[in-house]
Amino acid sequence: MSLRVRKNRVQAPSESCPLTECMSILGGAWTPNIIWFLSESPRRFSELRIDIPRISAKVLTVRLRELEAKGVVSRAVKPTSPPSVEYALTELGGELIPAIESIVKVGYKLKLQAVAS
Amino acid sequence: MSLRVRKNRVQAPSESCPLTECMSILGGAWTPNIIWFLSESPRRFSELRIDIPRISAKVLTVRLRELEAKGVVSRAVKPTSPPSVEYALTELGGELIPAIESIVKVGYKLKLQAVAS
DNA sequence: CTGTATCCTGTAGGATACTG
DNA sequence: CAGTATCCTACAGGATACAG
């Protein structure tokens, strides 16, 4: 089975650099994807699950909680009859976007590179 | 035991976005650190081990090989009596720097945030 | 709908010992 | 010095089932 594509792991070397500090956010599993989608527009839990099909509910929850704890993402429960929760990037979270954009940009080049070679 | 601080993992969702593509580079373990130090100046294997004390030789090798394969890092063997190998960022590798800088920048804010809260 | 709890697996990466 | 090989562990994350 396993449509698994690739796995990496980030181990924070120490509390030394902010790089590490931040990578503990971006490096975390699907986090970049979550932030990416959230940057387009706020989203509900199930919407994120659709956006990122392969992520499991558990992990999505965990990541979301982490991001929330770090003040990167906000969580708003709307007391509607079917409960809905809206996640959005906070201002701080927005600051991650340029970082991610840089990554996307390079990723794009990398892809071209891969094709070219 | 384990002075282990933190571990994350990146799982590429699919070949979809360049984000993922690139995160397979940055997301990989100590990779951001490696690139970071390499961006300051080219370095030898053992120098990197000193820069990043907690990384094991094995992983450093693996990461370096990967980065090399992706055209992000160049490897130059100097035929000196004690063999020395110099690693440096390629031009493509240099493109990762803004991404990493963004990450560092946000990481810094995150740190302040953490202290403040 | 939005999670949470449990179980299980794959694998990243450390440690250690050895090589050219 | 610059790795390589082997073994082993921790843990991220999937799957599934269940809950408010």
Side-chain angles (χ1 to χ4, degrees), chain B residues 7 9 44-46 61 65 75 83-85 87:
Chain B
K7 289 187 182 178
R9 180 180 288 180
R44 310 228 317 268
F45 189 83
S46 54
T61 303
R65 292 276 182 277
R75 178 172 180 274
S84 75
V85 181
Y87 292 93

Side-chain angles (χ1 to χ4, degrees), chain B residues 14-56:
Chain B
S14 66
E15 298 310 323
S16 54
C17 54
L19 208 199
T20 297
E21 185 72 17
C22 188
M23 279 311 291
S24 71
I25 294 187
L26 291 187
W30 305 78
T31 320
N33 281 280
I34 296 174
I35 295 179
W36 187 246
F37 283 112
L38 246 30
S39 75
E40 291 176 4
S41 70
R43 274 177 165 70
R44 310 228 317 268
F45 189 83
S46 54
E47 291 177 315
L48 283 171
R49 294 204 64 183
I50 294 171
D51 290 330
I52 316 172
R54 273 119 138 29
I55 199 173
S56 63

Side-chain angles (χ1 to χ4, degrees), chain A residues 58-71:
Chain A
K58 174 187 153 192
V59 172
L60 181 53
T61 303
V62 173
R63 294 278 89 86
L64 248 15
R65 292 277 181 277
E66 283 181 9
L67 292 172
E68 197 190 346
K70 279 168 179 158

Side-chain angles (χ1 to χ4, degrees), chain B:
Chain B
M1 58 188 58
S2 86
L3 296 168
R4 224 157 258 126
V5 180
R6 182 66 194 297
K7 289 187 182 178
N8 295 326
R9 180 180 288 180
V10 174
Q11 171 155 142
S14 66
E15 298 310 323
S16 54
C17 54
L19 208 199
T20 297
E21 185 72 17
C22 188
M23 279 311 291
S24 71
I25 294 187
L26 291 187
W30 305 78
T31 320
N33 281 280
I34 296 174
I35 295 179
W36 187 246
F37 283 112
L38 246 30
S39 75
E40 291 176 4
S41 70
R43 274 177 165 70
R44 310 228 317 268
F45 189 83
S46 54
E47 291 177 315
L48 283 171
R49 294 204 64 183
I50 294 171
D51 290 330
I52 316 172
R54 273 119 138 29
I55 199 173
S56 63
K58 173 188 153 192
V59 172
L60 181 53
T61 303
V62 172
R63 294 278 87 88
L64 249 15
R65 292 276 182 277
E66 283 180 9
L67 292 172
E68 197 191 345
K70 280 169 179 157
V72 169
V73 158
S74 65
R75 178 172 180 274
V77 182
K78 307 203 168 180
T80 50
S81 44
S84 75
V85 181
E86 187 162 275
Y87 292 93
L89 286 189
T90 61
E91 199 175 327
L92 181 64
E95 315 229 13
L96 285 165
I97 301 192
I100 295 188
E101 276 174 344
S102 301
I103 294 176
V104 171
K105 190 177 148 210
V106 176
Y108 191 64
K109 290 212 174 192
L110 243 24
K111 216 161 189 170
L112 294 181
Q113 185 92 344
V115 173
S117 64

